[in-house]
Each structure stands twice: as structure tokens, then as C-alpha cells.
């Protein structure tokens, strides 16, 4: 009798202590769960073993990346339903050890073992990073982490990001959120240039320059000289060709270099767009100190960074297991208040903070649509597992931004001279006006 789905549903609800909000279809063809809901497709018994050996997010992620687990129906709706059971249970969630003291839970686990077959631990998918958290954020480990994320292949990122090749939150018109992704990314880069007060003759350092989009835009549209630094060789190769194609080799230099090794300051302005998430809490003040040292008195920093919600007990913060293992190894998020405090500790005067959280949700949904529209080629360029990582990561992050679980902020700070003349306009948000440029 084909009843694996019914048994799985009952056992999972017993473990979770709540009704399962999605349907289940098992490897034997059986189905269970609410009609019309997205369906969790359990392709084989190995998926069950993965969850037994790593209960929670990492086990689910391994099963997803390996193709043992899939979702049919609306991916966003499924993730939204599952988030309440897996990612958002908060302080009410029991630890695995606590749960296993419950006789009913132990019985459910024994039932899953019988369904899953031989209880041997499946090997993690090859896309998973093996990490040593005892040695975080050295120059060598940072370079390795950046390479894992960004050296996936420029053609793959071209599918996801589109022609702009900008891998950070776009800036959409409002309302409504219409327009193209390329136009929204151009508007974001232009907004940053205006916030930095760029003009011909100034010198800009772009930290974590990616594929060169900010460097090219600033040099072409504002006439500044730009040094862009990245730890990714593939990004640098792409960015240098892009600079040459634009005829900007006299204006833009792209380096494979750690920002901590930049010694040719001072610069008039620094942009750091989607890079600071890689720095880590223990190194963040050092990051601020280095950028402060590299700026001229009166120079401006634009720090564009994802932030998380603060916790009552900050010592309990844990890095997201799936993102740490498959997406951004060693990446860490911090609350916006912590970012501002660290910038001020380094000597900066923080002049403006703008949250663009909803803009990132819109951006991520466009990236997911791009990936899904050219799925076969994306798989061919990387691997099925890697493509599945990016689809799950971007869709889940879109929901996280929409639900205010994480945000993204642009912080404008000035290296204000001792005399106090910041050089900022009296109307601080002059850059939002059409004549601001």
C-alpha cells in the first residue's frame, strides 16, 4: 500500500507540534495534506535520512540542494508557510535535545527511521562549504569565501542579474514598482553618486567593486577617477573588459586586492555597496578604521549594507545555517544601530540613513524570475545543485525583506574635519531632487 506521504505527514506534525501547512507527495506516489496548497515533493528516502541526521534548516537545505526534496506550486507561498515552522519559531521552539525527551517525539523519530531505511548519514551535496569557524575573516579565508560565492561564472550571474551586472538592491520608482531591473539599478548607482557629491576631478574608491558597474557609471557619468577592488578574479576580469569597452581605461583601475591592503589614499569618496556583510562583527571596527584612514578630510563614505533585526540578547545571534553553508560562507549581519555606532567610533559623522528594504524584495523577485526563465542554461553553466541554491536563497530572502526580518540601508558618513565644516548641503537630502546633480 502506497502510504508514505500520509505517514510522513503524521510524523512531521507530531515532531513539529502543529499542522503541516503544505501538502506532501512521496516517492511511492502517495499524497497527503491540504488541497490546493503548495506541495513538498519527497523524491526518495534519502531526504528523510537527511532530516533525521540534521533536523531543521540545514537538513532541509541539503535535501533541497541534492534534489531529494522539491516544491510544486508557488515557491514563495510554500516558503512562507514553512517559515513559521522552521525559521520563525523563536524562543518558543524546543531544541532537538529537549524535543527528544518527549516520548511522542521519540516515537515519531523511530517512525521516520523506519520510513527512511538504513540510518546512514548521506554525504552533504558538493556545493556545501566546509568551514572552520575558528579562523574567520583572515585575508586568506575572506578570499576563499568570496571566491566560493562570486566565482560561480560570469555567464551564470549574467542570467540572474541581467545586463546591469549589479548584485545589490536596485532603487525602484514609487509607486507603483514598475520599470525595468536595468533602469532601477542605474537609478541606484546614480543615487549613490549624488549622495557622494561626485564631480569631475574627484577620486573614488569602490570597495567590493563586483563586475565594475559602479566604477563605470561614476567615471562615465560624473567624470571621476575610480579605483575598484575585489577579491574575485572572475569579477575583475569581467570588469576590466567592461572598462576597456567603455573607453574608460584612463579613468578606472580594477584591482584584485583586499581593501585592507589599499595604501594609495587619500580618496575624495568611498562607495561600499553590498560588501560589508562579508566583514564580520569582530572585524567591523577595523573595516571602518581603514575606510576612515583612506578618506580625505571632508570626504564621504556611502555604506550600502544588509542589516538584521536586533535581538534582546545579542549573544544568542547565530548565522543562518543554509546561507553560511551554501551562499555566503562566513558572512554576518548586524543591526543598523550597530553599523552606525561602529562608523562613529571610527571617527565618522553619520549624516543620513535611508532604508530601502522593500526595494530589495522587488529586486530579488526579478532575479528569481530571470533564473527561472533560463533555468536549463543556468544548470548547464554551473550545476543543478548550485542553481537550486540560488533559487531557494533569493526567494527566501525576498520574503525575509517583505516581512521585515532583514533590511538594507544606505548610510552616508563624512570624515568631518576638526573645524566642523562637513561640506554637506543644508538640505541634507538634496540628492533626491532633480536638480541635486
Amino acid at each position: 500500500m502506497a502510504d508514505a506521504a500520509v505517514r510522513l505527514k503524521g510524523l512531521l506534525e507530531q515532531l513539529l507540534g502543529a499542522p503541516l501547512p503544505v501538502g506532501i507527495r512521496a516517492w511511492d506516489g502517495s499524497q497527503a495534506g491540504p488541497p490546493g496548497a503548495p506541495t513538498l515533493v519527497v523524491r526518495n528516502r534519502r531526504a528523510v535520512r537527511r532530516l533525521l541526521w540534521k533536523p531543521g534548516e540545514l537538513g532541509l537545505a541539503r535535501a533541497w540542494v541534492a534534489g531529494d526534496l522539491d516544491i510544486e506550486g508557488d515557491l514563495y507561498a510554500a516558503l512562507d508557510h514553512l517559515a513559521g515552522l522552521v525559521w520563525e519559531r523563536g524562543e518558543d521552539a524546543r531544541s532537538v535535545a529537549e524535543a527528544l525527551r518527549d516520548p511522542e517525539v521519540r516515537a515519531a523519530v523511530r517512525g521516520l527511521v523506519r520510513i527512511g531505511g538504513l540510518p546512514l548519514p548521506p554525504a552533504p551535496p558538493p556545493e556545501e562549504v566546509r568551514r572552520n569557524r575558528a579562523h574567520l575573516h583572515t585575508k586568506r579565508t575572506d578570499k576563499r569565501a568570496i571566491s566560493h560565492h562570486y566565482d560561480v561564472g560570469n555567464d551564470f550571474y549574467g542570467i540572474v542579474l541581467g545586463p546591469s551586472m549589479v548584485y545589490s538592491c536596485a532603487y525602484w520608482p514609487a509607486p507603483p514598482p514598475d520599470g525595468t531591473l536595468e533602469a532601477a539599478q542605474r537609478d541606484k548607482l546614480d543615487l549613490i553618486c549624488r549622495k557622494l557629491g561626485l564631480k569631475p576631478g574627484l577620486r573614488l574608491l569602490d570597495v567590493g567593486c563586483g563586475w565594475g558597474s559602479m566604477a563605470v557609471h561614476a567615471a562615465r557619468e560624473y567624470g571621476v577617477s575610480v579605483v575598484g577592488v575585489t577579491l574575485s578574479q572572475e569579477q575583475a576580469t569581467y570588469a576590466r573588459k567592461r572598462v576597456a569597452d567603455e573607453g574608460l581605461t584612463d579613468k578606472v583601475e580594477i584591482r584584485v586586492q583586499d581593501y585592507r591592503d589599499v595604501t594609495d589614499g587619500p580618496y575624495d569618496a568611498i562607495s561600499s555597496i553590498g560588501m560589508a556583510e562579508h566583514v564580520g562583527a569582530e572585524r567591523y571596527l577595523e573595516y571602518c578604521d581603514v575606510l576612515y584612514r583612506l578618506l580625505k578630510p571632508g570626504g564621504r563614505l556611502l555604506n550600502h549594507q544588509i542589516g538584521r533585526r536586533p535581538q534582546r540578547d545579542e549573544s544568542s545571534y547565530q548565522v543562518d545555517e543554509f546561507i553560511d553553508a551554501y551562499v555566503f560562507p562566513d558572512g554576518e549581519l548586524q543591526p543598523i544601530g550597530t553599523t552606525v555606532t561602529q562608523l562613529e567610533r571610527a571617527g565618522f559623522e553619520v549624516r543620513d540613513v535611508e532604508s530601502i528594504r522593500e526595494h530589495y524584495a522587488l529586486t530579488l523577485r526579478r532575479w528569481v524570475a530571470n533564473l527561472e526563465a533560463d533555468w536549463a542554461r543556468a544548470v548547464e553553466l554551473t550545476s543543478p545543485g548550485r542553481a537550486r541554491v540560488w533559487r531557494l536563497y533569493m526567494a527566501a530572502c525576498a520574503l525575509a525583506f517583505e516581512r521585515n526580518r532583514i533590511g538594507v540601508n544606505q548610510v552616508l558618513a563624512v570624515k568631518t574635519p576638526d573645524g566642523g565644516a562637513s561640506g554637506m548641503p543644508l538640505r541634507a537630502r538634496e540628492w533626491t531632487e532633480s536638480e541635486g546633480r
Side-chain angles (χ1 to χ4, degrees):
M1 179 178 176
D3 64 350
V6 176
R7 294 164 64 198
L8 278 172
K9 177 179 178 294
L11 292 169
L12 288 173
E13 289 179 341
Q14 204 170 346
L15 281 172
L16 295 167
L20 200 64
V22 296
I24 290 183
R25 188 170 76 246
W27 58 88
D28 63 355
S30 60
Q31 291 190 240
T39 300
L40 200 62
V41 180
V42 186
R43 297 196 182 282
N44 49 52
R45 289 182 170 85
R46 187 169 57 243
V48 179
R49 294 200 295 274
R50 290 191 188 279
L51 292 173
L52 285 167
W53 280 94
K54 282 290 180 182
E57 183 175 352
L58 188 57
L60 283 168
R62 286 175 172 175
W64 171 271
V65 175
D68 301 329
L69 202 62
D70 206 347
I71 290 172
E72 284 186 0
D74 189 319
L75 175 63
Y76 294 101
L79 292 176
D80 210 16
H81 288 318
L82 291 170
L85 292 176
V86 180
W87 293 285
E88 297 175 7
R89 305 186 76 192
E91 296 177 359
D92 295 331
R94 293 184 296 179
S95 69
V96 174
E98 289 173 330
L100 288 175
R101 285 198 285 269
D102 186 328
E104 291 188 4
V105 171
R106 290 201 302 271
V109 170
R110 287 194 294 270
L112 287 173
V113 170
R114 286 193 291 273
I115 291 177
L118 292 174
L120 298 175
E127 291 80 8
E128 184 170 316
V129 176
R130 311 299 194 268
R131 299 166 318 289
N132 181 355
R133 300 201 66 84
H135 301 285
L136 291 182
H137 302 297
T138 65
K139 291 178 182 178
R140 185 166 71 174
T141 60
D142 280 355
K143 187 174 180 64
R144 186 185 308 128
I146 293 297
S147 178
H148 170 84
H149 186 80
Y150 294 103
D151 290 340
V152 176
N154 294 331
D155 290 340
F156 173 80
Y157 274 108
I159 290 173
V160 175
L161 305 180
S164 69
M165 290 299 281
V166 181
Y167 193 22
S168 54
C169 177
Y171 197 66
W172 298 89
D178 54 8
T180 66
L181 175 61
E182 290 67 45
Q185 290 292 14
R186 183 188 62 242
D187 287 350
K188 185 268 301 294
L189 297 176
D190 209 63
L191 176 67
I192 290 172
C193 290
R194 296 198 304 273
K195 286 184 176 183
L196 289 171
L198 299 184
K199 57 187 178 182
L202 297 187
R203 194 162 175 248
L204 170 70
L205 173 65
D206 187 27
V207 178
C209 67
W211 291 272
S213 301
M214 175 63 185
V216 167
H217 185 87
R220 184 183 61 218
E221 304 297 328
Y222 288 81
V224 297
S225 297
V226 187
V227 172
V229 296
T230 175
L231 294 178
S232 167
Q233 184 62 59
E234 288 199 29
Q235 284 186 334
T237 299
Y238 184 99
R240 287 167 182 158
K241 183 179 185 304
R242 193 174 186 181
V243 168
D245 290 345
E246 290 275 355
L248 294 170
T249 53
D250 61 328
K251 287 283 190 183
V252 180
E253 178 188 359
I254 303 295
R255 304 174 184 168
V256 178
Q257 186 179 33
D258 192 293
Y259 74 96
R260 290 166 285 194
D261 294 330
V262 176
T263 59
D264 60 344
Y267 289 85
D268 298 286
I270 298 176
S271 54
S272 178
I273 309 170
M275 176 271 176
E277 297 89 341
H278 296 286
V279 171
E282 291 185 6
R283 296 279 188 176
Y284 202 85
L285 182 57
E286 177 190 15
Y287 161 80
C288 298
D289 286 337
V290 169
L291 300 191
Y292 188 84
R293 172 177 56 79
L294 287 168
L295 270 177
K296 290 180 180 178
R300 299 181 190 180
L301 164 69
L302 192 288
N303 190 75
H304 174 119
Q305 180 179 344
I306 298 171
R308 60 176 172 84
R309 302 290 297 171
Q311 299 183 352
R312 289 186 180 274
D313 177 12
E314 278 293 308
S315 66
S316 66
Y317 168 64
Q318 294 183 335
V319 175
D320 182 279
E321 285 186 298
F322 166 61
I323 291 179
D324 193 39
Y326 288 98
V327 187
F328 286 108
D330 304 340
E332 295 177 52
L333 301 182
Q334 59 185 11
I336 179 60
T338 303
T339 296
V340 169
T341 297
Q342 297 288 62
L343 287 167
E344 290 182 329
R345 286 180 66 194
F348 283 104
E349 179 187 7
V350 173
R351 297 298 303 242
D352 187 78
V353 178
E354 181 178 5
S355 171
I356 53 174
R357 173 174 64 81
E358 292 88 350
H359 292 255
Y360 217 159
L362 295 168
T363 304
L364 284 154
R365 283 181 178 264
R366 296 294 177 98
W367 288 345
V368 172
N370 285 348
L371 177 61
E372 291 176 341
D374 206 357
W375 181 259
R377 184 163 172 263
V379 167
E380 181 183 346
L381 288 169
T382 53
S383 69
R386 183 77 68 185
R388 291 170 66 83
V389 165
W390 254 248
R391 182 171 180 244
L392 177 63
Y393 151 65
M394 294 189 298
C397 283
L399 290 171
F401 282 105
E402 290 169 357
R403 304 295 186 265
N404 192 28
R405 296 198 292 272
I406 52 177
V408 61
N409 304 280
Q410 289 188 354
V411 180
L412 180 64
V414 181
K415 184 176 181 176
T416 303
D418 292 339
S422 68
M424 292 290 294
L426 287 176
R427 293 189 175 188
R429 291 198 168 178
E430 174 182 276
W431 48 78
T432 63
E433 302 171 11
S434 58
E435 66 271 24
R437 178 171 168 184

